[in-house]
Amino acid sequence: MEEEKGALVQSLIDAVNQIASIGDYRCPVKKQYCNLARRLKLLTPMFEEIRESKEQIPEETVKALVSLKEALVSAKELLRFGSEGSKIYLFALVIYGLESNLCHHSNSNLRLAVVNLVLQREEIMHKFHELTAQLEQALSAIPYENLDISDEVKEQVELVLAQFRRAKGRVDAPDVELYEDLLSLYNKTNDAVADPDVLRRLTEKLQLVGITELTQESLALHEMVSASGGDPGETFEKMSNLLKKIKDFVQTENPNLDAPAREKNLPPSSCGQTTSDGNHKTPVIPDDFRCPISLELMKDPVIVSTGQTYERSCIEKWLQQGHGTCPKTQQTLSSPALTPNYVLRSLIAQWCEANGIEPPKRPSSSRPSKTTSTCSPAERTKIDILLRKLTSSNPEDQRMAAGEIRLLAKRNADNRVAIAEAGAIPFLVSLLSTPDSRTQEHAVTALLNLSICEENKGSIISSGAVPGIVQVLKKGSMEARENAAATLFSLSVVDENKVTIGASGAIPPLVTLLSEGTQRGKKDAATALFNLCIYQGNKGKAVRAGVVPTLMRLLTEPGGGMVDEALAILAILASHPEGKAAIGAAEAVPVLVDVVGNGSPRNRENAAAVLVHLCAGDQQHLAEAQELGVMGPLVALAQNGTDRGKRKAAQLLERMSRFLEQQKLAQAQAEAQAPQSQAQQPQPPSVANAVDI
């Protein structure tokens, strides 16, 4: 009982210490969140005196402290949200609480966007007030007369409790001027001229006065929009345009601001044309040449699977932070592959030359120096403590430590680097074989989160993690199997790892998960199989594991939730002889023809790609596709499809035309040979000749 008391009180102290370490709250919520954190820090002396007390804590008090612990955990998450979020996004959520202004807007799309923000703002404010009430209720339930604490501490806690009671339900008045300024810019088109006074007020109130702050704000805005509940498309576009106006204003007002950072793109010696008074004027960068994340002129533009273009370093950072969506469209990325946009790079170079600007140079292709963590000493100490618990003989300690590391690794890139530097990876690998299913699930998910960092991928592989991950994929709980599949996908981004994972026996259990898993499990298995099958040697393994019948079933099952993934994998397998034979044997042609005619642009493209391989040198499949009416859909795809879809449609149309010509030629030859054959046949004697007169 004494040990349980000590653990409970220590967890309360740890929670408050974690809250105290957050700090640096964003302007829109700074006052409320600072007040909340300050009040909670005042509870530490009470917890410390309870810990030092020799008296036993009554069960009623223990229950109250447990409730308080739950409230502190909720407070920690809410405060972290207020520390790491986008200023523009948070301000929008706060000021759009002025719902009475909605009736003044005639633009229906704007009204919808504002309503969306109002709902999200209401949700955040509801959480804040709900948390305040939860803390007040938990503190009120503690029978302080039964605790061995000093009178001074009791008075301090009573003061905190009184402050929570006063704060419950209180709403601070919004900044009306800020609301009007933001709304005026929010509702302007991208090329409309903004009022400099409005922009100046916004930069001051949002504290966005330097290039570094603006770049951080851009990343934070993308992260918060990505994490939002609804479809943020139009809202995000308007906020992104608003941030772009602020950034242009800051750079115009302060041309030498953060010069070292700007010299990389626009050197002062050639950043624009010189006016008669000797001032340099930087030309306005076309929007298409700016990275949607950093808003800077792109040096190394790359295309993601949704077709959007980003600066390579920015999108790589986005992906390393654990995002699986396109920042601009919020669509799920079907692949993390980045394709250089050579056309856009050439256009940017031409624009730079036309405006007297040195074309931006691509970053050096040499391998970057090893990433180091910027975690504080307190955070490193916490990680060291968790590592000691990972190696404990106590299963409870192992489970708790693995769960904490799982959450820390999910949070940010610095944590992922620090955890790996501390040597956690081998310990987590050893826990993959633990009989405790929950600990096993924490361990494999922690490895998944750590693998987001490129440098950690090699450490995980070299620690011998793959066999353990495969074992979890076979025997673990459903959530553990899903996360094991996702881990294999993350590791297989490195080409040499595709060979290692394929040779470890991972492909058959991935096919099993694809067949019998939950919707999420199927998607995790599909993405892993897609990546692994990029390596030619793994395609035969997947076919022999029975993936083709499973993919065909997913293509035709009601709901169609896995059509995209199934077609993408089939398109890769069709280039392999075993894959082509298996797809042909599965009677796939009718399904593929239907998708070419009625599917989404990407699915039409992949279905056409599969047909190209199936029909190569196979007249039976060509005849079947022709009989099913594929010609019309192919012509439409060649005219209106994606670039790759147009190419595949053109290939198929060419083969189909040759096939039809061969059919016509064969038919003509057959028709021409028919009379000749008939003429060469012996004629029966006529009646006249047959009668002997």
Side-chain angles (χ1 to χ4, degrees):
M1 183 65 183
E2 190 65 26
E3 290 181 1
E4 291 179 2
K5 181 196 90 168
L8 173 60
V9 176
Q10 186 59 48
S11 67
L12 291 166
I13 295 173
D14 290 343
V16 174
N17 289 339
Q18 290 166 7
I19 288 170
S21 69
I22 295 174
D24 192 25
Y25 300 107
R26 314 298 270 179
C27 295
V29 294
K30 189 167 187 175
K31 180 181 177 183
Q32 300 99 311
Y33 282 38
C34 282
N35 286 340
L36 176 59
R38 176 179 52 77
R39 291 168 189 151
L40 295 177
K41 283 186 278 189
L42 292 174
L43 299 176
T44 300
M46 176 179 72
F47 299 146
E48 290 175 342
E49 288 196 6
I50 294 174
R51 182 180 60 184
E52 301 301 323
S53 172
K54 303 298 182 183
E55 293 187 9
Q56 192 171 8
I57 302 179
E59 185 177 347
E60 179 186 4
T61 306
V62 170
K63 289 181 179 179
L65 291 176
V66 169
S67 298
L68 181 57
K69 177 187 172 184
E70 293 172 354
L72 289 175
V73 170
S74 300
K76 180 176 65 175
E77 295 304 316
L78 187 65
L79 291 171
R80 183 172 285 111
F81 175 82
S83 172
E84 299 174 355
S86 156
K87 296 177 182 180
I88 288 179
Y89 193 94
L90 285 170
F91 255 124
L93 294 182
V94 173
I95 65 172
Y96 280 127
L98 296 171
E99 296 180 53
S100 60
N101 286 276
L102 288 175
C103 60
H104 300 306
H105 306 309
S106 59
N107 186 313
S108 61
N109 289 331
L110 175 62
R111 285 203 303 273
L112 289 173
V114 174
V115 169
N116 184 38
L117 286 170
V118 167
L119 293 175
Q120 294 178 59
R121 181 259 184 190
E122 290 302 316
E123 182 181 354
I124 290 175
M125 298 308 295
H126 175 72
K127 286 181 180 178
F128 188 86
H129 294 309
E130 193 177 61
L131 176 63
T132 302
Q134 185 182 358
L135 287 164
E136 185 265 335
Q137 184 178 1
L139 287 170
S140 299
I142 298 175
Y144 299 101
E145 65 278 1
N146 296 336
L147 292 175
D148 183 18
I149 57 177
S150 63
D151 291 340
E152 292 83 358
V153 170
K154 283 183 182 177
E155 290 175 2
Q156 186 166 300
V157 175
E158 287 172 358
L159 175 63
V160 172
L161 182 55
Q163 290 175 343
F164 274 124
R165 284 172 178 157
R166 285 198 300 272
K168 188 169 63 174
R170 186 173 61 201
V171 179
D172 293 329
D175 187 333
V176 177
E177 183 183 51
L178 179 62
Y179 166 79
E180 297 292 347
D181 286 346
L182 269 177
L183 188 62
S184 68
L185 287 184
Y186 187 87
N187 199 20
K188 283 185 182 293
T189 59
N190 196 32
D191 54 355
V193 178
D195 185 343
D197 292 333
V198 171
L199 288 166
R200 189 172 290 107
R201 285 196 299 268
L202 285 177
T203 58
E204 292 171 358
K205 289 191 177 184
L206 295 174
Q207 296 180 8
L208 298 172
V209 293
I211 298 302
T212 301
E213 291 90 343
L214 287 162
T215 301
Q216 291 174 345
E217 171 65 13
S218 182
L219 288 168
L221 178 60
H222 277 82
E223 289 210 24
M224 293 193 70
V225 173
S226 175
S228 65
D231 177 10
E234 182 175 0
T235 302
F236 166 72
E237 288 290 342
K238 287 181 176 289
M239 288 185 182
S240 183
N241 289 335
L242 191 155
L243 179 57
K244 193 182 300 178
K245 288 184 173 73
I246 293 174
K247 187 166 189 176
D248 287 341
F249 173 78
V250 170
Q251 290 183 328
T252 303
E253 290 285 294
N254 305 279
N256 296 319
L257 185 67
D258 287 354
R262 294 181 64 207
E263 284 170 4
K264 297 176 183 177
N265 281 353
L266 300 173
S269 61
S270 59
C271 65
Q273 299 170 349
T274 306
T275 59
S276 58
D277 61 0
N279 292 327
H280 290 283
K281 183 178 180 181
T282 303
V284 177
I285 302 171
D287 289 341
D288 290 341
F289 295 171
R290 295 176 185 260
C291 171
I293 297 177
S294 69
L295 305 181
E296 295 283 358
L297 182 68
M298 286 186 277
K299 295 175 284 188
D300 189 10
V302 292
I303 306 170
V304 298
S305 62
T306 59
Q308 299 294 325
T309 297
Y310 299 92
E311 172 62 37
R312 182 185 292 275
S313 61
C314 293
I315 191 64
E316 283 180 343
K317 183 175 181 181
W318 172 263
L319 295 172
Q320 287 170 6
Q321 289 172 342
H323 301 291
T325 57
C326 173
K328 189 170 184 178
T329 66
Q330 298 303 305
Q331 291 176 283
T332 300
L333 295 173
S334 61
S335 165
L338 304 176
T339 305
N341 193 333
Y342 296 112
V343 174
L344 183 60
R345 189 188 303 163
S346 175
L347 291 173
I348 291 173
Q350 292 174 23
W351 177 83
C352 289
E353 291 171 4
N355 286 277
I357 299 171
E358 182 181 347
K361 296 179 180 178
R362 291 180 62 197
S364 171
S365 59
S366 58
R367 194 169 183 83
S369 58
K370 182 175 174 62
T371 306
T372 55
S373 171
T374 57
C375 283
S376 67
E379 290 170 323
R380 290 183 180 277
T381 300
K382 178 180 179 180
I383 291 171
D384 290 338
I385 292 171
L386 290 173
L387 258 61
R388 286 197 292 273
K389 290 184 177 180
L390 272 185
T391 59
S392 166
S393 58
N394 185 337
E396 291 288 336
D397 284 347
Q398 289 182 333
R399 187 185 309 121
M400 184 278 294
E404 281 288 313
I405 289 175
R406 167 185 179 172
L407 295 175
L408 282 174
K410 181 181 180 180
R411 193 149 289 142
N412 58 54
D414 278 336
N415 286 350
R416 290 189 274 275
V417 174
I419 291 168
E421 286 176 348
I425 289 174
F427 298 135
L428 291 168
V429 171
S430 67
L431 289 179
L432 293 174
S433 58
T434 181
D436 186 297
S437 61
R438 190 62 176 160
T439 303
Q440 185 185 71
E441 180 185 308
H442 287 326
V444 75
T445 311
L447 289 171
L448 166 62
N449 295 336
L450 290 171
S451 72
I452 295 168
C453 174
E454 289 302 308
E455 291 172 1
N456 288 346
K457 286 178 168 61
S459 301
I460 293 170
I461 292 289
S462 62
S463 296
V466 173
I469 296 171
V470 172
Q471 191 60 28
V472 174
L473 183 62
K474 292 178 179 177
K475 305 291 186 182
S477 66
M478 182 53 71
E479 185 174 350
R481 291 170 66 193
E482 292 167 354
N483 291 338
T487 307
L488 292 177
F489 162 71
S490 178
L491 295 174
S492 67
V493 170
V494 180
D495 285 340
E496 54 263 34
N497 293 347
K498 292 179 174 66
V499 182
T500 304
I501 295 169
S504 70
I507 290 177
L510 282 172
V511 173
T512 302
L513 183 61
L514 180 66
S515 175
E516 64 185 32
T518 63
Q519 188 69 7
R520 181 194 155 196
K522 289 177 180 178
K523 287 189 177 292
D524 287 330
T527 52
L529 285 166
F530 176 88
N531 229 29
L532 290 171
C533 288
I534 293 173
Y535 170 59
Q536 188 75 0
N538 287 334
K539 294 178 182 178
K541 292 184 176 74
V543 173
R544 290 189 290 275
V547 73
V548 171
T550 298
L551 293 172
M552 291 305 302
R553 177 169 52 80
L554 294 175
L555 271 181
T556 56
E557 69 181 3
M562 292 292 296
V563 172
D564 297 1
E565 293 83 356
L567 279 169
I569 298 172
L570 285 172
I572 287 184
L573 295 177
S575 64
H576 190 275
E578 291 182 56
K580 176 181 175 180
I583 296 170
E587 299 180 351
V589 173
V591 178
L592 295 171
V593 170
D594 180 61
V595 174
V596 170
N598 303 305
S600 67
R602 184 55 55 86
N603 289 342
R604 293 170 69 201
E605 167 194 315
N606 282 326
V610 178
L611 283 171
V612 166
H613 289 293
L614 284 183
C615 295
D618 192 317
Q619 292 197 345
Q620 180 181 346
H621 288 140
L622 277 169
E624 185 180 6
Q626 193 267 334
E627 289 173 5
L628 291 166
V630 76
M631 293 294 287
L634 283 178
V635 171
L637 180 60
Q639 293 173 344
N640 306 314
T642 63
D643 289 342
R644 178 169 173 256
K646 290 176 180 178
R647 291 197 304 273
K648 297 301 178 184
Q651 287 178 272
L652 266 175
L653 285 170
E654 184 182 352
R655 287 182 185 169
M656 198 67 68
S657 297
R658 285 204 306 267
F659 169 68
L660 292 175
E661 287 175 7
Q662 290 171 357
Q663 276 192 324
K664 289 178 181 178
L665 181 60
Q667 185 177 356
Q669 289 175 345
E671 290 174 353
Q673 290 173 358
Q676 294 177 8
S677 300
Q678 190 174 0
Q680 291 173 0
Q681 290 178 2
Q683 296 294 322
S686 64
V687 175
N689 293 333
V691 178
D692 186 9
I693 299 176

